[in-house]
């Protein structure tokens, strides 16, 4: 792997599989009475969050602590940033404090890339604007692989390949504002999955023709052909115009309810990166059904982020 994790598009197939295989090994730590390894003892990981976050920040904090790293949580609210300190000055302050890795979430696309140019330590993108969220894509791929038996614990005759070759993943909803969708499209394509997008035309990016995916506007036509359906939240906080007539109309055409769930193949699964808008893009009975992997995704997020931190900071081999 490179020294930083800024974009899912930067990961080769070999890199991505290495993260997933490492996460498989580290997931076993959760079954131990003492859920800690001494791997990153003496290393410092800074969670630098300029946007509100619950799952991602806590997940990174848990991952770092399970690897015995020292963790510093930095929130823009109540810090010098609120007094006008620039991103670069904040970065230089963290550098002076001896940060070995900085996990950054920022509302501006490209902020992690800029940080990587200023810091000697590793930079991990935890979400930048509407650009990317690579560790979310990795945990989603990890969850898919485990659900379909394609991981190191599976018997060889049951694996069907170590990646996601041949699986069809349908991503539904607000692709325009979704950094999760962007990262998933690139990573899933790298791992051999066939990615399809379903959304209103107003919620698709202009340059979508250049992305490695197909596009449809008809959810009912896409569901019977899907192995995985990933529902996206409508990000109204990023919208400055009317992208659809009403929430009720959107839910009717693009929401996943119990009737639509029955259209999926028997082995298909339902995913959501969270937070969910129950009753809008996903019905409560679907979110809580056995086909849903939403809780698993949160659990798997810790293992995957442990793997990323381990590979970036764990030793000489990881940094070659």
């Amino acid at each position: 792997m490179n020294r930083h994790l800024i974009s899912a598009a930067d990961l080769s197939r070999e890199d991505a599989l290495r993260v997933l295989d490492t996460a498989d090994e580290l997931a076993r730590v959760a079954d131990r009475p003492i859920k800690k390894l001494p791997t990153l003892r003496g290393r410092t990981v800074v969670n630098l969050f300029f946007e509100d976050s619950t799952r991602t920040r806590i997940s990174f904090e848990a991952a770092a602590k399970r690897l015995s790293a020292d963790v510093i949580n930095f929130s823009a609210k109540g810090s010098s940033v609120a007094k006008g300190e620039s991103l670069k000055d904040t970065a230089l302050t963290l550098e002076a404090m001896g940060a070995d890795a900085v996990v950054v979430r920022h509302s501006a696309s490209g902020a992690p890339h800029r940080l990587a140019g200023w810091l000697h330590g590793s930079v991990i993108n935890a979400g930048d604007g509407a650009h990317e969220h690579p560790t979310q894509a990795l945990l989603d791929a990890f969850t898919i692989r485990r659900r379909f038996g394609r991981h190191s614990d599976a018997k060889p005759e049951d694996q069907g390949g170590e990646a996601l070759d041949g699986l069809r993943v349908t991503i539904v909803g607000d692709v325009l504002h979704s950094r999760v969708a962007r990262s998933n499209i690139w990573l899933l394509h790298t791992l051999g999955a066939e990615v399809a997008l379903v959304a209103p035309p107003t919620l698709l990016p202009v340059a979508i023709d250049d992305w490695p995916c197909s596009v449809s506007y008809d959810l009912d036509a896409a569901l019977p052909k899907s192995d995985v359906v990933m529902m996206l939240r409508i990000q109204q906080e990023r919208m400055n115009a009317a992208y659809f007539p009403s929430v009720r109309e959107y839910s009717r055409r693009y929401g996943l309810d119990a009737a639509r769930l029955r259209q999926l193949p028997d082995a298909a699964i339902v995913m959501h990166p969270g937070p969910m808008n129950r009753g809008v893009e996903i019905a409560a009975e679907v979110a809580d059904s056995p086909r849903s992997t939403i809780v698993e995704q949160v659990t798997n997020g810790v293992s995957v982020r442990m793997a990323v931190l381990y590979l970036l900071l764990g030793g000489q081999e990881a940094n070659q």
Side-chain angles (χ1 to χ4, degrees):
M1 286 181 67
N2 294 325
R3 189 159 56 93
H4 309 293
L5 178 57
I6 307 298
S7 167
D10 295 336
L11 292 170
S12 66
R13 183 181 173 99
E14 180 183 0
D15 288 337
L17 288 174
R18 189 178 179 198
V19 173
L20 300 185
D21 290 340
T22 303
D24 261 327
E25 295 295 323
L26 292 173
R28 298 170 186 170
V29 175
D31 298 327
R32 298 179 180 180
I34 299 175
K35 300 176 174 60
K36 290 195 87 170
L37 295 172
T39 312
L40 298 185
R41 184 176 295 158
R43 301 294 188 107
T44 300
V45 177
V46 177
N47 288 329
L48 180 61
F49 279 65
F50 291 86
E51 283 188 323
D52 293 336
S53 171
T54 301
R55 278 170 298 277
T56 303
R57 182 182 58 78
I58 293 175
S59 180
F60 267 111
E61 182 175 358
K65 287 182 175 179
R66 286 187 184 181
L67 293 172
S68 300
D70 296 319
V71 180
I72 299 173
N73 289 316
F74 180 101
S75 175
K77 294 177 181 178
S79 72
S80 295
V81 173
K83 302 175 184 177
E85 183 173 74
S86 69
L87 179 62
K88 183 173 184 178
D89 288 332
T90 300
L92 295 176
T93 300
L94 298 176
E95 183 83 14
M97 291 179 179
D100 296 293
V102 176
V103 180
V104 58
R105 169 168 287 192
H106 203 285
S107 59
S109 299
H113 177 76
R114 295 293 295 169
L115 271 179
W118 295 325
L119 295 172
H120 290 99
S122 297
V123 174
I124 302 169
N125 183 2
D128 60 330
H131 179 227
E132 282 220 39
H133 194 350
T135 59
Q136 179 69 45
L138 284 165
L139 75 87
D140 289 342
F142 181 78
T143 302
I144 294 170
R145 200 167 76 144
R146 288 178 76 86
R147 270 291 183 122
F148 284 89
R150 301 181 178 192
H151 57 93
S152 56
D153 289 336
K155 297 178 182 179
E157 62 268 23
D158 294 333
Q159 284 185 349
E162 60 182 358
L164 306 180
D165 298 300
L167 291 178
R168 183 178 176 88
V169 181
T170 300
I171 301 176
V172 185
D174 185 3
V175 179
L176 178 63
H177 301 99
S178 177
R179 52 197 174 203
V180 172
R182 284 168 172 77
S183 289
N184 264 297
I185 289 166
W186 290 108
L187 182 67
L188 293 172
H189 172 72
T190 298
L191 291 172
E194 179 184 349
V195 183
L197 304 181
V198 178
T202 53
L203 290 178
L204 290 169
V206 174
I208 196 70
D209 293 340
D210 298 328
W211 294 8
C213 58
S214 61
V215 176
S216 171
Y217 311 117
D218 188 345
L219 179 57
D220 291 306
L223 291 176
K225 300 179 287 186
S226 302
D227 297 300
V228 179
V229 178
M230 185 179 299
M231 306 304 297
L232 301 175
R233 177 178 65 90
I234 299 171
Q235 299 191 37
Q236 293 181 327
E237 71 275 12
R238 299 184 189 275
M239 295 181 180
N240 55 10
Y243 289 85
F244 44 84
S246 67
V247 171
R248 183 177 180 181
E249 175 68 10
Y250 176 89
S251 183
R252 186 182 68 81
R253 292 199 59 186
Y254 295 100
L256 186 63
D257 57 16
R260 285 193 166 121
L261 184 66
R262 290 191 288 271
Q263 297 181 40
L264 290 170
D266 291 342
I269 60 174
V270 176
M271 308 185 77
H272 196 303
M276 292 182 289
N277 288 323
R278 290 175 180 251
V280 181
E281 75 271 7
I282 188 167
E285 61 265 38
V286 176
D288 299 329
S289 74
R291 292 198 182 202
S292 169
T293 66
I294 296 167
V295 176
E296 290 173 49
Q297 287 170 262
V298 176
T299 301
N300 292 339
V302 177
S303 300
V304 167
R305 285 162 179 142
M306 286 175 69
V308 169
L309 290 170
Y310 169 77
L311 292 172
L312 291 177
L313 301 178
Q316 184 65 32
E317 180 184 356
N319 292 305
Q320 287 180 348

